[in-house]
Amino acid sequence: MDFDFDLVMRALPLLVAGAGITVKITVMSVALGIIIGLIAGVARVSRVKPLQMITACYVNFFRGTPLLVQIFIIYFLLPLITGHRMDPLVVAITACGINSGAYIAEIFRAGIQSIDAGQMEAGRSLGFSWLETMRYIIVPQAFKRVVPPLGNEFIALLKDSSLVSVIGFEELTRRGQLIIARTYASFEIWTCVALIYLAMTMLISQLVAYLERRYSLDDTH
Amino acid sequence: MIHIEKLSKSFGSLEVLKDIDLHISKGEVVVFIGPSGGGKSTFLRCMNYLETPTAGKVIVDGCELSDREEVLNKARINIGMVFQRFNLFPHLTVLENITLGPIKLLKMEKGAAAAKAMELLDRVGLADKRDAYPRQLSGGQQQRVAIARSLAMNPKVMLFDEPTSALDPEMVGEVLDVMKGLAADGMTMVIVTHQMKFAREVADRVLFIAEKKIYEEGTPEQIFDNPQKPRTRDFLSKIM
């Protein structure tokens, strides 16, 4: 079998540009996911029953259904809500962000619950409210502990973002498909796409490992 | 300063405290002693509603505690608490541990809060540890920082929940010395402890907590030298 290097070299700039878009939606989705996940995670450990129930439903739904299906639902639902056609980028980030928010909520919940109960008591006995104690004392400590699972979530989402290619959004996977449609060089292009994903995920692993080392230096836990 | 009426506390079907009345005056140092599981710590924790009493009233400095968050958050500023396991904030330096409350709750300026914190650190003999993290300190040092952290809120009352029970024996003295200093300065203090020698030295009043109530109370001399009731005698004979 021939491996057409020339073709790969010509396709590479297009694919790398697609990878840039993949990184962009991943970063923005994780940012959205962290905001949603933090709020939902805190709500899950609160003693307010309705909040617990709403967040439990949210987490169960988005963890219990395929991301692909969620992307389609949001793709068709958003225009109905807003009244006009949506930018695929907005759809992609909304779908991926809400989905990863459900996983990140669980990560934060576990992180918060791993903090010694004495911390909450100490905060409360100084006169802080429950929410203030969360904000100033519990969550900052939990954040350091959830760096590794957040890193995993980031890697998972980077790969899963390939699913937004189904709504025609031109990230790395979609770019690959389009090039193959023109050149029929399936093997070369898919290999190339896979290696680009691999390079990105390995880079993130290194970054997470670095953050973990740095945080473990200035924390007891 | 602290006024308690008909206080009861149950955990599920287990009744721990029943119909307790107690009045503690300003500047008084009251020590709780008694058998483990006898409810001393629970009683103390009811005084700032870390445990919510099942029934009864707790009034501290004229303010009746209740389940309402706003009431509780305000009242707790006046009630310092020192825990058996210190509960310092591990992500903050010693100085930040002490200034967090004053800056966020008392709205003090950073500079003023730091100056006050240094004064308190000086008082507990740890001024040189201002930038250390809790994990870099010994247990005794951590507990002294915890006391400074409580004092930074200018509390009217200090509650101590077995403050030396988690310490190595050689560190007990340094913590008790800080507490003696506080007592000498007129702080109103309620202390749960197993340090009988310390109790005798510092207490105005000793309460023996057993059988869900204040089983016997009196001056240290009365309780330690001449206990009247059988369970008090029995307890003291076992530990002295």
Side-chain angles (χ1 to χ4, degrees):
Chain A
M1 190 174 79
D2 291 331
F3 194 94
D4 189 344
F5 275 105
D6 270 3
L7 181 102
V8 167
M9 289 318 285
R10 268 179 283 126
L12 204 54
L14 278 172
L15 291 177
V16 169
I21 297 169
T22 289
V23 170
K24 183 175 157 193
I25 53 171
T26 306
V27 168
M28 291 174 82
S29 301
V30 167
L32 179 64
I34 286 177
I35 294 168
I36 297 175
L38 182 57
I39 295 169
V42 169
R44 276 208 95 173
V45 295
S46 76
R47 287 156 305 173
V48 186
K49 279 272 145 52
L51 277 181
Q52 288 178 4
M53 275 168 56
I54 291 168
T55 50
C57 288
Y58 160 66
V59 168
N60 285 333
F61 180 82
F62 283 93
R63 285 200 314 179
T65 57
L67 177 57
L68 185 62
V69 175
Q70 293 166 20
I71 290 168
F72 278 128
I73 291 177
I74 287 171
Y75 182 62
F76 291 111
L77 190 69
L78 269 189
L80 285 180
I81 297 171
T82 59
H84 44 84
R85 249 190 101 240
M86 297 305 293
D87 183 345
L89 177 70
V90 175
V91 176
I93 291 169
T94 307
C96 292
I98 294 178
N99 177 272
S100 81
Y103 290 92
I104 294 176
E106 287 299 280
I107 292 173
F108 273 118
R109 181 184 61 77
I112 288 168
Q113 286 175 337
S114 77
I115 304 295
D116 184 69
Q119 294 289 307
M120 179 54 84
E121 291 192 344
R124 295 308 305 273
S125 67
L126 280 175
F128 285 110
S129 68
W130 185 87
L131 203 59
E132 286 169 332
T133 309
M134 273 290 156
R135 179 173 159 204
Y136 296 125
I137 296 160
I138 310 288
V139 170
Q141 294 181 55
F143 239 106
K144 291 182 182 177
R145 293 195 192 174
V146 301
V147 166
L150 273 186
N152 288 338
E153 176 56 26
F154 195 92
I155 289 170
L157 195 64
L158 185 102
K159 294 181 293 171
D160 289 348
S161 70
S162 61
L163 290 170
V164 300
S165 59
V166 296
I167 55 169
F169 187 70
E170 273 195 49
E171 38 64 74
L172 177 53
T173 300
R174 180 71 180 160
R175 281 276 165 93
Q177 286 173 337
L178 292 176
I179 294 169
I180 291 165
R182 258 193 350 258
T183 63
Y184 303 103
S186 312
F187 179 67
E188 284 89 343
I189 298 299
W190 282 132
T191 306
C192 200
V193 166
L195 288 176
I196 294 175
Y197 274 113
L198 183 64
M200 290 193 290
T201 53
M202 285 176 72
L203 202 69
I204 300 168
S205 302
Q206 292 300 311
L207 187 71
V208 171
Y210 165 76
L211 284 177
E212 219 177 313
R213 273 199 308 277
R214 225 193 66 182
Y215 277 149
S216 68
L217 286 181
D218 57 35
D219 193 27
T220 17
H221 311 286
Chain B
M1 183 58 68
I2 303 177
H3 187 80
I4 289 164
E5 271 177 39
K6 297 256 167 273
L7 181 134
S8 299
K9 173 68 185 176
S10 306
F11 294 102
S13 60
L14 178 72
E15 191 171 50
V16 183
L17 301 168
K18 192 176 178 190
D19 282 338
I20 296 186
D21 295 311
L22 175 65
H23 184 84
I24 296 172
S25 312
K26 190 165 184 296
E28 205 177 356
V29 176
V30 175
V31 172
F32 293 178
I33 60 170
S36 300
K40 334 181 268 301
S41 283
T42 304
F43 189 19
L44 187 82
R45 288 161 59 87
C46 283
M47 292 184 187
N48 68 351
Y49 263 50
L50 274 187
E51 298 294 352
T52 310
T54 318
K57 269 189 197 172
V58 178
I59 301 166
V60 180
D61 193 32
C63 171
E64 182 176 348
L65 304 188
S66 78
D67 279 334
R68 294 206 8 248
E69 279 265 322
E70 320 85 74
V71 176
L72 219 45
N73 296 339
K74 271 238 174 66
R76 280 174 174 157
I77 290 176
N78 286 326
I79 312 172
M81 176 111 182
V82 174
F83 300 88
Q84 184 175 353
R85 290 181 50 248
F86 333 131
N87 296 345
L88 290 180
F89 307 134
H91 62 305
L92 301 178
T93 63
V94 163
L95 191 74
E96 289 165 341
N97 262 276
I98 301 172
T99 57
L100 183 69
I103 290 172
K104 302 292 183 194
L105 292 169
L106 305 181
K107 309 292 174 204
M108 275 175 84
E109 271 182 63
K110 271 194 179 164
K116 172 92 196 273
M118 286 313 295
E119 227 172 83
L120 290 166
L121 276 177
D122 212 28
R123 182 167 173 185
V124 300
L126 291 170
D128 56 325
K129 298 291 185 192
R130 55 173 285 168
D131 295 320
Y133 282 89
R135 76 191 133 85
Q136 297 166 319
L137 304 181
S138 71
Q141 291 172 330
Q142 288 193 50
Q143 194 61 298
R144 281 143 69 197
V145 172
I147 293 172
R149 179 177 70 181
S150 280
L151 291 175
M153 302 299 287
N154 297 318
K156 304 241 168 72
V157 179
M158 286 283 283
L159 309 177
F160 294 86
D161 188 5
E162 303 199 23
T164 60
S165 295
L167 296 177
D168 292 336
E170 76 269 23
M171 292 169 185
V172 169
E174 63 192 64
V175 171
L176 295 184
D177 284 342
V178 168
M179 292 170 64
K180 283 178 202 163
L182 268 181
D185 289 348
M187 176 63 79
T188 309
M189 296 162 76
V190 186
I191 306 163
V192 174
T193 188
H194 296 289
Q195 302 287 330
M196 296 304 154
K197 197 168 145 275
F198 166 74
R200 180 193 279 269
E201 207 174 317
V202 81
D204 295 311
R205 196 159 31 133
V206 175
L207 271 55
F208 184 81
I209 313 276
E211 296 180 3
K212 305 174 192 174
K213 60 189 183 201
I214 300 171
Y215 181 81
E216 184 168 359
E217 69 171 290
T219 63
E221 293 74 28
Q222 285 168 342
I223 296 292
F224 291 121
D225 300 336
N226 194 13
Q228 297 299 311
K229 293 186 162 182
R231 286 203 64 169
T232 318
R233 274 191 211 138
D234 183 48
F235 174 77
L236 289 170
S237 71
K238 273 181 192 150
I239 59 163
M240 300 287 244

